Amino acid sequence: MSPSPLSFKGQTVVVTGAGGGLGRTYSLLFASRGANIVVNDFNPDAAQKVVDQIVQAGGKAVVNTSSVTDGEAVIKSALDAFGTVTILINNAGILRDKGFKKMTDKEWDQIVEVHLKGAFACTKAAWPHFRKQKFGRVLNTASAAGLYGNFGQANYSAAKMALIGFTKTLAIEGAKYGIKAIAIAPIAASPMTETIMPPEMLANLQPTLVAPFVLAVTHPDGVDATGRVFEVGAGFVAEIRWERSNGTVFKTDSSFTPSAVKAKFAEITDFSKAEHPHFLRDIDAPSKLKLAATLPSNPQSSPPVRFDGQTVIITGSGAGLGRVYALMYGKLGANVVVNDVSEKSANGVVDEVVKAGGKAVAAVCSAEDGDALVKVAVEKFGGVHILVANAGILRDKSFQAVTPQEWDIVLAIHLRATYKCAKAVWPIFQDQKFGRIVTTCSQVGIYGNFGQANYSTAKAGIIGLTRTLAIEGKKYNIFANCIAPSAGTAMTSTVWTQEMVDAFKPDFIAPLVGYLSSAANEETTGGLFEVLGGWAAQTRWERSGGYSFPSKVPYTPEDVVAKWGSITNFTDGRTTHPTTSAEALEQMVANFGTGEAEKAKL
C-alpha cells in the first residue's frame, strides 16, 4: 500500500533565491502540495514568473525581492500575505570563484554576506514566530565544496561549511520549541552551476532530483532529520556524519613535545576503533586527563622536531593558547611574531620568549590585518614560514537574543581574520615552495552548542577554508590543518568551571600544533584534529551507502520516507569516507541515466 501523500496545506514556506534552479523547483513542488509560498529573488522578473506559474496551477504565492541580508523584510512578506511562516529554505547563493592568491577581499566578503549573513538574517527573523507557534523548519544549503574543500572556492567552501555549524546549533536550540534544522549539500543544474559544469553533466543533475528530499525532511510529520547533513543529487541521497578516531593519549609532562606527537602520530590517525560523536558532550574528557597523568614519559622521534631559522606568526598570542605556542616555538629555535591587540600582553610574551633564550617580536594589531603581521615578520626576521591562526573572541547568547553586531564581530575575528592572515602569507609561501598553516576550529564548530550560533558558524567555516587551502597549497608544499582544541584560557573561563580551566592546560595543545606546522610533517594536510588534556584524535566525514532513486523518473517525498532506513544506514558495510568533491560525486555519477526498471523496484 502506498503511503498517503505528504500535504503542506496550511504551511507557509519562504524560499530564498527562488527565481531559478533549485529554489524555483522547491517552490513549485511545495505549492503543488498545498503550501503558501514566498518566492524571494533579487530578480523581480524571475520571481514573478515562478509566482505566476504557481498561481496558474491553482496555488498561492507572492514575490519578495529583498536582499536575503534583510531577513526582516523577507519574513514580513510571509506574515503580510499569509499571516504566518512555518518553513524557511535558505537557498540563495552566489559564486565568486578565484584561486586563493588572486581572490579579493570583496570576493570573500560578498560570498560570506549572501550565504552566511543571509541565512542568519532570514532565520533570525523567522525564529520568534517558530518559537511562539512551537513549530518551525529551517533548511540550510551547504555544498560538497564546504564539506571537502574545492580548488578556487576558498570563500564558498568557508561559507558552505559554516552553514553546517550553524545548522547544528539551531537544531540544539530549537529542539524544545519543535523547531528542526537540517543541512543539505545538493548538486543540481542552476544558473550558478552552469558557469562551472559541462552541459552533459548538468543534464543529469536536475533540481527535480533534489526537491522531493527537501519536502520529506521539512514536513511536519516527515522524517526526523534535525541537526543532520545530507548529500543529494542525481537521485542519490546519503547522510554524512562525523567519525572520530579513538586517538591516543600522551603523558602530560615535559616529554609532551612535537617530537612526541611525531612518534605516535599514526595512533592519532588510526580509525580502526572509530567513534561517531553527535554532541560536544560525547567524550569523557576527565578520564583522558586522568590517564595522561599515569603514563610513562613519551617516546621522542629522531631527529627531533625543531624550527631553527623559521619564522612563525601566531595571532592572538598575548595570552592563553597563543602564548604557550609562542614559548614552545621560541624554545625550539623559531623566530616568533607575537600578535595581540593588547600591546602590554604582546610585549609581555615577547619578553618571556627572549628570557628563555628565544627570538620574538610584537605585532600589535587586529588579527584581521594580516598584511601588517607579515610586514613585521619580514622586516624583523626576513620572511615567514608558519602561520598559526589562533585569535578569537566569544559573544555567547541564545539565537533568539543574539544581535547582528554579535554575529558580525565573531565572524570577523575568527573566520575573516583567518582568511586575511592566510592571504597575506600565501604569496611568500608559494614563492619559497614551503608553508605550514594551522587554523583553529572548535568542538563547538564541529558539533554545535547552545548559545553559540555565531561561534559554531565561524569555527565550522574555518574547516571549509582550511580544506580548500590544503588543496590549493599542495603543489607548493603548503600544508594547512585545523585543530579543535579545548583548554583553559581567558576565553573559556567565561563558560567553564575554574576546576576545568586549571586542569585542561593550554600546554597540552601546543605539541600537536608544533608537529602539524613543522617540516617534519610531510604528509598530513587538510586534516581536522580534536585535542584536549593530553588526548589527540582525528575527525573526518563518514558517508552512509545511501539510496539511489532512478534519475530519469522523479521520485517523491513519500519515496524518501519509505527508503529512510537505507538513506541513513551506517551499519550495512556500505559506508565510505570521501575526502574530495570528486570522490563525493562518484556515486551520483554512477546513478546517471537510471530509469523505469529501477523505479519498479522501489
Side-chain angles (χ1 to χ4, degrees):
M1 193 173 82
S2 61
S4 57
L6 296 174
S7 168
F8 285 83
K9 198 166 175 53
Q11 303 297 323
T12 295
V13 184
V14 174
V15 186
T16 67
L22 282 168
R24 172 182 173 275
T25 307
Y26 298 156
S27 299
L28 295 174
L29 191 55
F30 273 117
S32 74
R33 298 292 184 111
N36 309 315
I37 312 294
V38 176
V39 177
N40 160 265
D41 204 278
F42 69 93
N43 180 336
D45 294 338
Q48 189 61 53
K49 276 183 187 167
V50 177
V51 167
D52 291 346
Q53 196 172 343
I54 290 170
V55 172
Q56 281 160 16
K60 294 177 185 168
V62 295
V63 168
N64 174 279
T65 58
S66 305
S67 163
V68 285
T69 57
D70 188 356
E72 290 288 347
V74 175
I75 299 305
K76 187 174 184 295
S77 286
L79 302 174
D80 289 350
F82 305 114
T84 184
V85 56
T86 57
I87 298 168
L88 170 62
I89 311 293
N90 285 316
N91 169 72
I94 57 169
L95 289 178
R96 294 291 183 271
D97 292 1
K98 191 82 64 78
F100 190 63
K101 186 177 179 180
K102 292 183 177 173
M103 184 170 286
T104 64
D105 289 355
K106 186 179 179 186
E107 287 160 341
W108 173 271
D109 292 337
Q110 284 176 327
I111 291 287
V112 171
E113 181 87 352
V114 173
H115 293 268
L116 286 188
K117 192 65 183 286
F120 164 76
C122 291
T123 309
K124 181 90 177 103
W127 199 256
H129 304 285
F130 288 173
R131 276 180 37 141
K132 193 175 174 187
Q133 68 207 13
K134 297 283 193 289
F135 175 82
R137 297 286 182 270
V138 181
L139 184 119
N140 291 319
T141 310
S143 160
L147 301 176
Y148 310 110
N150 202 32
F151 197 98
Q153 293 193 306
N155 48 5
Y156 188 71
S157 302
K160 287 306 196 183
M161 185 62 211
L163 285 166
I164 290 174
F166 183 50
T167 301
K168 288 184 178 291
T169 288
L170 291 178
I172 292 165
E173 293 204 26
K176 71 187 263 191
Y177 299 102
I179 305 169
K180 296 181 179 181
I182 305 102
I184 62 166
I187 184 156
S190 71
M192 201 163 84
T193 50
E194 274 167 19
T195 61
I196 51 171
M197 283 188 166
E200 58 274 18
M201 185 163 240
L202 292 169
N204 288 286
L205 293 168
Q206 292 306 311
T208 49
L209 296 172
V210 175
F213 179 81
V214 169
L215 269 70
V217 296
T218 55
H219 190 273
D221 304 317
V223 291
D224 185 2
T226 196
R228 294 156 78 175
V229 187
F230 300 85
E231 294 189 74
V232 192
F236 174 74
V237 185
E239 184 175 3
I240 190 160
R241 68 176 181 179
W242 290 117
E243 178 171 82
R244 184 167 68 200
S245 71
N246 190 44
T248 194
V249 178
F250 295 87
K251 173 80 169 181
T252 48
D253 65 2
S254 60
S255 72
F256 190 16
T257 63
S259 300
V261 173
K262 185 183 179 189
K264 287 175 73 172
F265 194 70
E267 293 177 30
I268 294 174
T269 59
D270 177 3
F271 282 90
S272 61
K273 294 178 184 170
E275 306 164 321
H276 299 96
H278 294 287
F279 299 105
L280 208 53
R281 62 179 179 268
D282 294 347
I283 179 169
D284 184 358
S287 74
K288 307 280 189 197
L289 195 62
K290 206 174 281 183
L291 174 60
T294 67
L295 296 172
S297 285
N298 301 297
Q300 307 289 308
S301 63
S302 182
V305 175
R306 287 191 58 83
F307 299 92
D308 301 292
Q310 294 194 320
T311 298
V312 55
I313 293 172
I314 309 164
T315 67
S317 49
L321 285 169
R323 170 184 165 273
V324 173
Y325 299 159
L327 294 171
M328 172 191 71
Y329 282 111
K331 185 179 170 187
L332 295 175
N335 309 313
V336 184
V337 177
V338 177
N339 160 254
D340 207 274
V341 288
S342 163
E343 187 173 359
K344 184 182 175 187
S345 299
N347 285 324
V349 174
V350 168
D351 289 346
E352 283 188 86
V353 173
V354 172
K355 276 178 191 158
K359 296 174 190 163
V361 63
V364 182
C365 61
S366 165
E368 277 194 275
D369 198 349
D371 293 331
L373 290 178
V374 169
K375 190 166 183 271
V376 170
V378 171
E379 285 178 359
K380 177 73 175 176
F381 299 119
V384 59
H385 306 86
I386 298 160
L387 167 66
V388 181
N390 167 72
I393 57 167
L394 289 178
R395 293 292 184 273
D396 291 0
K397 210 169 269 185
S398 72
F399 187 64
Q400 173 85 348
V402 75
T403 65
Q405 293 74 25
E406 287 161 340
W407 174 271
D408 290 343
I409 194 168
V410 168
L411 268 288
I413 299 302
H414 292 273
L415 185 54
R416 195 173 192 276
T418 300
Y419 152 75
K420 285 292 287 179
C421 289
K423 187 88 176 63
V425 298
W426 201 259
I428 296 171
F429 285 3
Q430 273 196 359
D431 288 348
Q432 69 199 16
K433 299 280 193 293
F434 178 88
R436 294 288 183 269
I437 297 173
V438 176
T439 62
T440 310
C441 176
S442 161
Q443 289 177 307
V444 172
I446 300 171
Y447 306 111
N449 196 33
F450 194 99
Q452 294 192 297
N454 48 6
Y455 187 70
S456 60
T457 301
K459 288 304 198 184
I462 288 170
I463 302 173
L465 169 61
T466 306
R467 291 194 161 155
T468 288
L469 295 181
I471 291 165
E472 293 201 31
K474 194 81 184 281
K475 73 180 206 177
Y476 299 102
N477 189 25
I478 303 170
F479 285 16
N481 288 286
C482 192
I483 62 156
S486 289
T489 64
M491 196 164 87
T492 53
S493 68
T494 61
V495 287
W496 282 16
T497 64
Q498 191 58 45
E499 189 183 11
M500 282 179 72
V501 170
D502 294 342
F504 289 90
K505 291 184 167 55
D507 310 62
F508 306 157
I509 310 296
L512 177 64
V513 172
Y515 171 66
L516 289 172
S517 64
S518 71
N521 171 22
E522 298 176 319
E523 290 182 8
T524 301
T525 188
L528 172 61
F529 299 87
E530 294 183 54
V531 53
L532 57 82
W535 166 78
Q538 186 171 11
T539 304
R540 66 180 181 180
W541 289 120
E542 179 180 45
R543 184 159 86 175
S544 69
Y547 190 82
S548 295
F549 295 101
S551 66
K552 282 187 178 175
V553 189
Y555 62 101
T556 66
E558 292 75 26
D559 291 333
V560 174
V561 175
K563 296 298 178 186
W564 193 246
S566 298
I567 291 167
T568 59
N569 192 329
F570 286 93
T571 59
D572 59 6
R574 297 187 305 127
T575 60
T576 55
H577 301 91
T579 57
T580 65
S581 297
E583 281 176 36
L585 196 57
E586 283 171 11
Q587 280 170 286
M588 294 181 192
V589 172
N591 202 42
F592 284 3
T594 53
E596 286 291 356
E598 290 79 6
K599 179 77 173 174
K601 297 173 191 171
L602 284 178

